[in-house]
Amino acid sequence: MNKDNYYKWVTEKLLPNLSKNSVVVLDNATYHCHQSNRAPSSNSLKKDMVNWLTENNISFNSTMFKPQLYDIIRKHKQVLVKYSLDGILSKEGHDIIRLPPYHPDLNPIEMIWSQVKQYIAKQNHNGSIKKIAELCKQKMESMGDSEWGADCANVKKLEEEMWKNESFMDIEMDKLTVTYGDDTTNDSDTSTEDEDDDLGVAPLQP
């Protein structure tokens, strides 16, 4: 899958079949995350940095060098991220929820795909692509509200557990005390005035 094919599917297949004011849940696949307002990188031309800052109404001094301009960009770019797909969906009245990175377990579709793959593995004996496509369609069409509802309920339960654990972690982390350095004194690292005398070193006088 690439961006062009995915956007074609969204506009031709997804949008016409979405109910009004739907919520679309997206993971962090590359084709989901194309930015319409991508910030310049540290290697970008200075004029591109200046244009980006100007377009986003961010103050800067025209005498600044590239490293200084990029430092300003770096502080603002995360807040100003705009995804092209979000614009397409929100224009049609839909809301978008993006899953946190590396959490496929929070996406019910992953559970559905797992069931489809298991079904295909059991039924596909000749390994042909045509047979795989038929089995995939067969399984998807046989899955109704009960299967989808169960997977969504599992995700909701997992989310609740994560929120509970997050609160617990905050409490436990507050109890931790981290000490930097060592305040104890090692006798071998210090010398007394008598030892200094033995070494021929006169102790400093206050």
Side-chain angles (χ1 to χ4, degrees), residues 7 27-35 38 83-85 98:
Y7 277 45
D27 61 18
N28 293 276
T30 304
Y31 44 85
H32 292 163
C33 300
H34 178 267
Q35 296 182 26
R38 182 177 292 277
Y83 296 108
S84 304
L85 188 58
R98 290 182 173 272

Side-chain angles (χ1 to χ4, degrees), residues 132 160 179:
I132 291 174
E160 292 172 350
T179 303

Side-chain angles (χ1 to χ4, degrees), residues 14-190:
L14 178 63
L15 285 176
N17 291 286
L18 276 180
S19 301
K20 188 176 181 180
N21 300 324
S22 292
V23 176
V24 180
V25 180
L26 298 171
D27 61 18
N28 293 276
T30 304
Y31 44 85
H32 292 163
C33 300
H34 178 267
Q35 296 182 26
S36 57
N37 186 34
R38 182 177 292 277
S41 69
S42 58
N43 295 321
S44 298
L45 296 175
K46 181 178 180 179
K47 68 175 183 178
D48 293 333
M49 294 183 178
V50 169
N51 289 339
W52 189 88
L53 290 168
T54 302
E55 290 171 0
N56 289 283
N57 298 316
I58 299 173
S59 298
F60 66 96
N61 193 311
S62 59
T63 62
M64 287 180 171
F65 295 105
K66 280 181 59 175
Q68 296 170 305
L69 292 172
Y70 183 68
D71 188 53
I72 297 175
I73 292 171
R74 186 173 52 81
K75 293 175 181 177
H76 291 85
K77 64 180 183 178
Q78 289 301 324
V79 180
L80 296 171
V81 168
K82 296 178 182 177
Y83 296 108
S84 304
L85 188 58
D86 291 18
I88 295 173
L89 294 169
S90 60
K91 184 179 179 181
E92 300 297 325
H94 306 300
D95 292 323
I96 301 92
I97 294 178
R98 290 182 173 272
L99 298 175
Y102 314 114
H103 279 77
D105 47 346
L106 294 178
N107 194 348
I109 193 66
E110 296 294 342
M111 301 179 186
I112 294 295
W113 277 121
S114 177
Q115 295 174 50
V116 171
K117 291 175 183 177
Q118 291 177 24
Y119 178 79
I120 292 174
K122 291 179 180 179
Q123 302 295 327
N124 183 38
H125 303 297
N126 57 21
S128 70
I129 297 298
K130 182 179 179 181
K131 184 63 175 179
I132 291 174
E134 291 176 355
L135 290 171
C136 181
K137 182 178 180 181
Q138 187 180 100
K139 180 60 177 176
M140 291 294 288
E141 290 179 346
S142 70
M143 301 178 77
D145 294 344
S146 59
E147 288 86 355
W148 279 94
D151 288 336
C152 289
N154 287 334
V155 168
K156 185 176 181 180
K157 181 179 179 181
L158 180 59
E159 288 177 349
E160 292 172 350
E161 291 176 355
M162 286 183 171
W163 280 113
K164 182 179 179 180
N165 292 336
E166 179 74 14
S167 176
F168 173 77
M169 286 295 295
D170 286 343
I171 294 172
E172 292 303 310
M173 289 296 290
D174 287 342
K175 296 178 182 178
L176 294 178
T177 301
V178 179
T179 303
Y180 293 94
D182 188 356
D183 293 335
T184 60
T185 302
N186 190 323
D187 291 340
S188 64
D189 294 334
T190 60

Side-chain angles (χ1 to χ4, degrees), residues 4-17 88:
D4 292 338
N5 287 335
Y6 182 72
Y7 277 45
K8 181 179 180 181
W9 176 81
V10 168
T11 54
E12 296 181 2
K13 300 293 184 180
L14 178 63
L15 285 176
N17 291 286
I88 295 173

